[in-house]
C-alpha cells in the first residue's frame, strides 16, 4: 500500500486501539449474561451512536439484567421504570414539591435522571407519559417548572414491549417509534445456553458481580471516534437506495412491494442507518464502513420504520420480509 | 174468523205432511267397500268410499257432499295413501269415489268404523253413514319344526347403461374437446424456426470487459476506486450469469459464503477473498493499493475466470469441411 492513504490507516489504527474496550465489556458481561450477544451488541451500538433501543421480546429474556450489567460495567447510573396505566409524567421526569421549612418549591428529580434507563413495558402507560419520555430521549434535557436540566451523558433508553399481550396497552404511534434508533426483536436462548443459565442460577459459587471496566467518559470519547469512522460515498448511496426502496419500491423493480408498504423510512431512518453502521464498524474495530455493516444493522434500524398496509397484514407479510426483498434487490456497491 | 183459523190449521198440517218427503229427497246412498276382508299383518287393503247422487242433486249448485276426512291412524288401521275424488256417471246416477289404501299391524278381527258423509243443501244439512267393515288381520304362520334360514345375500342390481349416461357424455365431451384442440393446433402454421444468433457467453463478456479495463489503463490514471469497482463488478456479473449467484446484490462476505455449492468456483475461494478484501479497502476505505497489487488483482481475476471457464461444446462440422 502506498502512503497516500495514511489518514485512513491512522484512523484505522486509532480505532483498533480505542475499540478494544468492546471486547473487555463483552467479557465482563459474559460473566452474568449467557447468550443474548445480539442484544448486548445492539445496546452498545445504541450507546455509541447516541440512539435508543426498543426491545421486543417475551418476559424473562434477561433484558433488565443486560442493561443493569452494562451500566455496572460502565460505572454508570441505572434506573428502571415500570410503565403502568396509572403512571404520570411527573413519576418519570420529576416534579416540584413544596418545602415547608424553606417556604419554597424545590425540584424532585424523577428516575429519568440516570445514564441507563430501562422503560419496562412502555406500551402499558398512556400517551402523555410515553411522549414525556420520548421527548426527553430526543432533546436529552428535561424541563421541570422553569428550570431545564441537561441529562447526563451517556444517556441510553432501553424500552421494552411484550409482543404477546396487547390488551389494555397503548400502542406507540409511528412518530414516537421512529425516535428509537433500533428496534431489536429477541428470541429465546438455545438449549445449551439455557442449560448454562440454569447452572449459573442454581450454583451460588458462580454468582459473580460485574466490575466497572470502563468509565462513562470513555464512552463519550468512543462516540467522538465513531463520528470519525469513514463512510464512503458509495456506502451513503447504498443506504439511500435501501431507504428509498422502502418509499418507492417500483423504482427498484420491486413493484410487488408497492401495495404492501403504506409508508417508507423517514430521513431519520437514513441518518440512523448511517450512524448505526459507523458504530458497528467501530465495534468491529474498523475505521471505515463496508456494506456488511449496513446490512447487519439494517433490519434493526428499519423494521419499525416500514409501515405495512392492511393487504400486507392480511397476507402475513412482515416488515422483515419486505426488507429482505429490498436487500436482495438493491445492488451492493 | 173461524174459517181463517181452520185454513191455517189445514196449511200447517199439509206442511207437516210434505216436509219429511222433502228431507227424504236430500238423502243419498253412501257405502264403503274393501277389496278383501282378510289380510296378513302389514298387507294393504283398498278401501273405496262411494256416494251415489241423482242427476238433480248433482246439478244442484247448493247441494254438496263432504267425504269423511280420515286421520292417518284410525283405531287398528293406518292410512297409507289417499286418492283424489273421482266422479263417474253410471246410467242416470252420478257416483263419487275416493280410494284409500289402509293397512294394519295388529293381528285380530277388527271393525273398520262407520264413516260419516255430510250432506249440505243450502242452509240445511244432514249426514249419512257407511256400514262398518270387518277385516281379519292374520299373523304369518311360522313353521317351528323347520330350522332358521340364514339372511339372504345382497342382490346385485342388474347393470343398466342408462345409469352411467352422464359419465359417458362427459367422457365423450372430453375426447371431442381434445380432438378439437389437437386439430386446431395441428392445422396452425408452424412458426418458422428462428435463426440462431450467436450468443456471447458470460465468460467471453467477462474476458472482454477485463481486457477493456486493462487497455483503458484506469489505475495508471489514478482512478483506483473506479478500477476496483469495475474489476469486482465484472466478476460479480460473471458469477451471476454463469452460476446463477445473485452476486451483484451480495456483500463480499455473503458472496464468499454463497460460492460454496459451486465447487469449481469454491476452489478459487482464497484468490477471490484476497481480491475482494483489497477491492473493499480501495472502494470503501480510501486505501490505495500498490501497482503490484493492482496487477496481482487483475491476474487473480483472470485466473478465476480461466479456472471456472465452461467447457466448450464440440463445434459442429460444416458440410464444406466434409467435402474439401
Amino acid at each position: 500500500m502506498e502512503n497516500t492513504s495514511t489518514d485512513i490507516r491512522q484512523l484505522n489504527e486509532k480505532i483498533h486501539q480505542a475499540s478494544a474496550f468492546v471486547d473487555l465489556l463483552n467479557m465482563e458481561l459474559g460473566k452474568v449474561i449467557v447468550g443474548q450477544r445480539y442484544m448486548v451488541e445492539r445496546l452498545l451500538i445504541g450507546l455509541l451512536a447516541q440512539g435508543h433501543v426498543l426491545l421486543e421480546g417475551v418476559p424473562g429474556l434477561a433484558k433488565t439484567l443486560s442493561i443493569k450489567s452494562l451500566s455496572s460495567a460502565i460505572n454508570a447510573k441505572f434506573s428502571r421504570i415500570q410503565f403502568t396505566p396509572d403512571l404520570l409524567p411527573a413519576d418519570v421526569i420529576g416534579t416540584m414539591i413544596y418545602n415547608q421549612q424553606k417556604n419554597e418549591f424545590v425540584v424532585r428529580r424523577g428516575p429519568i435522571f440516570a445514564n441507563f434507563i430501562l422503560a419496562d413495558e412502555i406500551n402499558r402507560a398512556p400517551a402523555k407519559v410515553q411522549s414525556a419520555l420520548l421527548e426527553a430521549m430526543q432533546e436529552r434535557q428535561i424541563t421541570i417548572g422553569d428550570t431545564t436540566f441537561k441529562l447526563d451523558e451517556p444517556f441510553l433508553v432501553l424500552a421494552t414491549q411484550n409482543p404477546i399481550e396487547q390488551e389494555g396497552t397503548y400502542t406507540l404511534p409511528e412518530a414516537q417509534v421512529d425516535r428509537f434508533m433500533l428496534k431489536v426483536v429477541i428470541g429465546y436462548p438455545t438449549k445449551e445456553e439455557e442449560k448454562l443459565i440454569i447452572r449459573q442460577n442454581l450454583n451460588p459459587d458462580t454468582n459473580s458481580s460485574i466490575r466497572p471496566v470502563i468509565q462513562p467518559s470513555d464512552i463519550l470519547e468512543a462516540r467522538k471516534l465513531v463520528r470519525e469512522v469513514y463512510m464512503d460515498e458509495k456506502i451513503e448511496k447504498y443506504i439511500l437506495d435501501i431507504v428509498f426502496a422502502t418509499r418507492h419500491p417500483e423504482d427498484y423493480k420491486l413493484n410487488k412491494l408497492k401495495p404492501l408498504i403504506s409508508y417508507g423510512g423517514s430521513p431519520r431512518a437514513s441518518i440512523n442507518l448511517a450512524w448505526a453502521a459507523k458504530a458497528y464498524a467501530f465495534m468491529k474495530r474498523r475505521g471505515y464502513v463496508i456494506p456488511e455493516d449496513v446490512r447487519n444493522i439494517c433490519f434493526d434500524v428499519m423494521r419499525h420504520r416500514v409501515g405495512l398496509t392492511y393487504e400486507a397484514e392480511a397476507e402475513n407479510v412482515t416488515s422483515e420480509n419486505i426488507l429482505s426483498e429490498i436487500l436482495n434487490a438493491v445492488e451492493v456497491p | 174468523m173461524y174459517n181463517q183459523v181452520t185454513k191455517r190449521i189445514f196449511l200447517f198440517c199439509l206442511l207437516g205432511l210434505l216436509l219429511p218427503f222433502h228431507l227424504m229427497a236430500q238423502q243419498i246412498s253412501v257405502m264403503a267397500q274393501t277389496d278383501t276382508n282378510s289380510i296378513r299383518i302389514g298387507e294393504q287393503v283398498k278401501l273405496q268410499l262411494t256416494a251415489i247422487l241423482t242427476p238433480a242433486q248433482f246439478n244442484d249448485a247448493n247441494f254438496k257432499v263432504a267425504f269423511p276426512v280420515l286421520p292417518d291412524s284410525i283405531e287398528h288401521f293406518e292410512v297409507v295413501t289417499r286418492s283424489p275424488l273421482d266422479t263417474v256417471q253410471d246410467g242416470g246416477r252420478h257416483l263419487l269415489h275416493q280410494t284409500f289404501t289402509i293397512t294394519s299391524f295388529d293381528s285380530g278381527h277388527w271393525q273398520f268404523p262407520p264413516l260419516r258423509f255430510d250432506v249440505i243443501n243450502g242452509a240445511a244439512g244432514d249426514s249419512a253413514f257407511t256400514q262398518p267393515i270387518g277385516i281379519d288381520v292374520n299373523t304369518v304362520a311360522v313353521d317351528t319344526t323347520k330350522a332358521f334360514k340364514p339372511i339372504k345375500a345382497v342382490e346385485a342390481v342388474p347393470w343398466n347403461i342408462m345409469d352411467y349416461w352422464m359419465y359417458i357424455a362427459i367422457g365423450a365431451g372430453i375426447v371431442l374437446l381434445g380432438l378439437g384442440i389437437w386439430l386446431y393446433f395441428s392445422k396452425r402454421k408452424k412458426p418458422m424456426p428462428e435463426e440462431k444468433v450467436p450468443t456471447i457467453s458470460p465468460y467471453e463478456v467477462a474476458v472482454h470487459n477485463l481486457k477493456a479495463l486493462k487497455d483503458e489503463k484506469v489505475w495508471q490514471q489514478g482512478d483506483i476506486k473506479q478500477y476496483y469497482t469495475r474489476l469486482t463488478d465484472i466478476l460479480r456479473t460473471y458469477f451471476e450469469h454463469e452460476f446463477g449467484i445473485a452476486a451483484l446484490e451480495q456483500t463480499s462476505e455473503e458472496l464468499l459464503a454463497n460460492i460454496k455449492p459451486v465447487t469449481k468456483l469454491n476452489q478459487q475461494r482464497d484468490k477471490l477473498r484476497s481480491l475482494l478484501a483489497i477491492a473493499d479497502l480501495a472502494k470503501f476505505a480510501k486505501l490505495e493499493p500498490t501497482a503490484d497489487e493492482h496487477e496481482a488483482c487483475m491476474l487473480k481475476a483472470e485466473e478465476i475466470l480461466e479456472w471456472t471457464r465452461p467447457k466448450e461444446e464440440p463445434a459442429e462440422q460444416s458440410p464444406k469441411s466434409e467435402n474439401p
Side-chain angles (χ1 to χ4, degrees):
Chain A
M1 304 275 175
E2 289 173 9
N3 289 335
T4 48
S5 50
T6 44
D7 286 353
I8 294 281
R9 198 184 291 233
Q10 277 174 0
L11 176 68
N12 217 23
E13 277 168 17
K14 198 160 80 172
I15 285 173
H16 194 78
Q17 285 172 3
S19 60
F21 76 83
V22 175
D23 290 341
L24 264 177
L25 267 179
N26 279 330
M27 275 170 63
E28 196 60 28
L29 294 174
K31 284 184 190 172
V32 291
I33 304 164
V34 180
Q36 303 297 10
R37 287 223 136 209
Y38 185 81
M39 179 173 63
V40 172
E41 193 179 76
R42 265 45 191 170
L43 283 177
L44 283 174
I45 290 175
L47 192 62
L48 291 169
Q50 299 187 58
H52 304 285
V53 183
L54 178 63
L55 206 61
E56 200 171 272
V58 292
L61 293 177
K63 297 186 284 274
T64 313
L65 180 67
S66 300
I67 192 157
K68 204 171 174 180
S69 306
L70 182 64
S71 123
S72 302
I74 297 172
N75 203 14
K77 197 180 167 194
F78 168 75
S79 268
R80 179 176 177 276
I81 309 167
Q82 178 65 50
F83 276 54
T84 52
D86 58 349
L87 197 74
L88 295 170
D91 298 332
V92 176
I93 61 170
T95 189
M96 304 278 286
I97 55 167
Y98 185 68
N99 187 331
Q100 280 186 324
Q101 287 175 339
K102 291 181 180 174
N103 200 21
E104 63 180 12
F105 279 95
V106 290
V107 173
R108 169 70 62 87
R109 294 184 181 197
I112 202 163
F113 288 89
N115 298 109
F116 291 85
I117 311 288
L118 174 66
D120 221 350
E121 296 193 277
I122 191 170
N123 55 341
R124 295 233 171 260
K128 58 184 177 182
V129 185
Q130 290 174 358
S131 62
L133 173 73
L134 295 164
E135 266 179 52
M137 280 162 54
Q138 186 70 23
E139 309 299 331
R140 292 175 186 266
Q141 62 180 31
I142 297 286
T143 303
I144 304 170
D146 298 330
T147 324
T148 299
F149 301 91
K150 277 256 172 209
L151 290 170
D152 291 341
E153 288 290 348
F155 177 64
L156 173 76
V157 174
L158 174 74
T160 70
Q161 275 193 146
N162 186 343
I164 51 173
E165 286 171 23
Q166 296 303 318
E167 211 169 305
T169 60
Y170 302 85
T171 314
L172 287 172
E174 284 78 11
Q176 306 278 41
V177 178
D178 197 40
R179 290 166 196 253
F180 286 97
M181 173 179 266
L182 307 169
K183 180 182 178 182
V184 183
V185 178
I186 54 166
Y188 291 108
T190 62
K191 230 177 199 177
E192 281 304 309
E193 287 169 351
E194 199 145 336
K195 194 164 78 181
L196 282 173
I197 292 168
I198 294 172
R199 282 182 189 169
Q200 203 162 319
N201 277 273
L202 294 185
N203 189 355
D205 299 337
T206 57
N207 280 346
S208 49
S209 56
I210 297 280
R211 61 183 177 83
V213 288
I214 55 166
Q215 295 300 315
S217 56
D218 296 329
I219 295 292
L220 300 181
E221 283 300 315
R223 279 183 178 177
K224 285 180 191 165
L225 280 174
V226 168
R227 198 179 280 274
E228 285 179 34
V229 169
Y230 174 69
M231 181 176 278
D232 194 79
E233 206 180 324
K234 282 175 181 292
I235 302 289
E236 287 173 356
K237 188 184 170 294
Y238 185 49
I239 288 172
L240 289 176
D241 279 341
I242 292 170
V243 175
F244 270 70
T246 64
R247 297 180 202 165
H248 310 290
E250 67 278 8
D251 294 348
Y252 296 84
K253 296 175 187 168
L254 289 166
N255 289 324
K256 62 178 176 178
L257 296 185
K258 183 81 180 158
L260 304 176
I261 301 173
S262 62
Y263 59 89
S266 63
R268 197 184 270 151
S270 310
I271 297 165
N272 283 335
L273 197 51
W275 262 117
K278 279 189 169 195
Y280 189 77
F282 177 88
M283 284 171 62
K284 295 291 163 191
R285 309 183 77 174
R286 260 186 283 106
Y288 56 93
V289 180
I290 57 173
E292 269 93 354
D293 302 329
V294 178
R295 278 183 94 113
N296 197 289
I297 43 84
C298 182
F299 283 95
D300 295 322
V301 174
M302 298 296 294
R303 66 159 57 90
H304 53 299
R305 294 186 159 102
V306 176
L308 300 176
T309 59
Y310 288 116
E311 194 180 333
E313 279 168 18
E315 290 176 14
N316 284 331
V317 175
T318 59
S319 53
E320 283 88 349
N321 298 139
I322 289 172
L323 288 169
S324 290
E325 291 273 350
I326 288 172
L327 288 179
N328 289 335
V330 173
E331 273 192 22
V332 174
Chain B
M1 182 70 185
Y2 175 78
N3 284 341
Q4 277 196 346
V5 171
T6 310
K7 202 184 277 179
R8 276 185 186 170
I9 290 168
F10 173 74
L11 281 172
F12 277 118
C13 287
L14 189 65
L15 190 66
L17 285 170
L18 288 174
L19 196 61
F21 288 108
H22 175 72
L23 286 173
M24 276 179 76
Q26 288 182 11
Q27 285 295 319
I28 56 163
S29 297
V30 294
M31 58 184 172
Q33 286 177 314
T34 53
D35 55 354
T36 179
N37 287 336
S38 177
I39 58 167
R40 276 185 296 184
I41 194 162
E43 263 188 343
Q44 294 178 347
V45 185
K46 294 279 180 202
L47 168 71
Q48 191 178 53
L49 304 183
T50 310
I52 304 162
L53 273 72
T54 60
Q57 288 170 331
F58 189 77
N59 294 324
D60 186 353
N62 293 323
F63 193 86
K64 284 173 187 160
V65 177
F67 270 61
V69 178
L70 263 61
D72 289 343
S73 181
I74 178 166
E75 295 188 1
H76 297 281
F77 297 94
E78 313 289 332
V79 176
V80 182
T81 61
R82 34 191 113 218
S83 73
L85 207 62
D86 188 22
T87 311
V88 179
Q89 197 171 1
D90 179 26
R93 301 179 306 170
H94 288 271
L95 308 180
L96 302 180
H97 291 298
Q98 189 174 18
T99 308
F100 294 86
T101 307
I102 58 169
T103 187
S104 177
F105 296 98
D106 297 336
S107 60
H109 178 80
W110 311 116
Q111 289 280 343
F112 197 83
L115 299 170
R116 195 181 80 177
F117 285 71
D118 289 324
V119 182
I120 300 151
N121 189 5
D126 199 1
S127 302
F129 289 87
T130 60
Q131 290 294 321
I133 303 166
I135 297 173
D136 289 320
V137 181
N138 305 309
T139 52
V140 179
V142 179
D143 189 352
T144 53
T145 58
K146 289 184 180 173
F148 288 106
K149 289 180 181 174
I151 297 167
K152 283 186 178 178
V154 178
E155 281 187 26
V157 179
W159 188 82
N160 187 353
I161 194 165
M162 290 311 288
D163 293 341
Y164 304 96
W165 70 269
M166 206 193 318
Y167 302 105
I168 294 165
I170 291 169
I174 291 168
V175 169
L176 284 172
L177 188 71
L179 200 66
I181 292 168
W182 178 76
L183 281 172
Y184 173 74
F185 281 107
S186 60
K187 281 190 177 177
R188 275 180 68 182
K189 278 187 178 177
K190 284 180 182 170
M192 293 290 285
E194 284 178 18
E195 280 185 28
K196 272 191 176 178
V197 180
T199 50
I200 307 166
S201 69
Y203 167 79
E204 287 167 329
V205 174
V207 168
H208 174 265
N209 289 342
L210 275 186
K211 192 175 177 303
L213 182 63
K214 227 192 247 181
D215 294 345
E216 283 173 37
K217 298 189 185 300
V218 179
W219 68 262
Q220 287 90 338
Q221 290 166 21
D223 203 347
I224 310 293
K225 203 194 266 189
Q226 176 71 6
Y227 174 75
Y228 282 98
T229 304
R230 281 179 61 182
L231 186 64
T232 49
D233 279 355
I234 290 166
L235 280 180
R236 283 172 195 269
T237 312
Y238 168 66
F239 296 157
E240 188 151 330
H241 293 155
E242 186 62 40
F243 304 108
I245 301 167
L248 285 167
E249 290 82 26
Q250 288 171 3
T251 63
S252 303
E253 281 302 315
E254 286 169 340
L255 179 59
L256 287 167
N258 289 333
I259 60 165
K260 274 182 190 170
V262 187
T263 315
K264 220 195 259 183
L265 197 51
N266 199 34
Q267 287 163 348
Q268 297 293 305
R269 189 183 172 78
D270 292 338
K271 271 183 199 157
L272 185 62
R273 185 197 298 277
S274 105
L275 191 156
L276 289 174
I278 292 174
D280 278 356
L281 286 171
K283 285 195 289 183
F284 308 123
K286 274 207 282 190
L287 291 177
E288 291 186 7
T290 59
D292 289 345
E293 282 171 318
H294 300 324
E295 295 289 356
C297 282
M298 176 60 78
L299 196 65
K300 278 174 192 162
E302 285 171 342
E303 282 171 1
I304 292 167
L305 280 182
E306 206 52 45
W307 185 264
T308 56
R309 179 184 187 169
K311 280 181 185 173
E312 281 181 19
E313 288 174 14
E316 285 178 21
Q317 284 186 326
S318 62
K320 279 181 185 174
S321 61
E322 284 175 5
N323 303 311

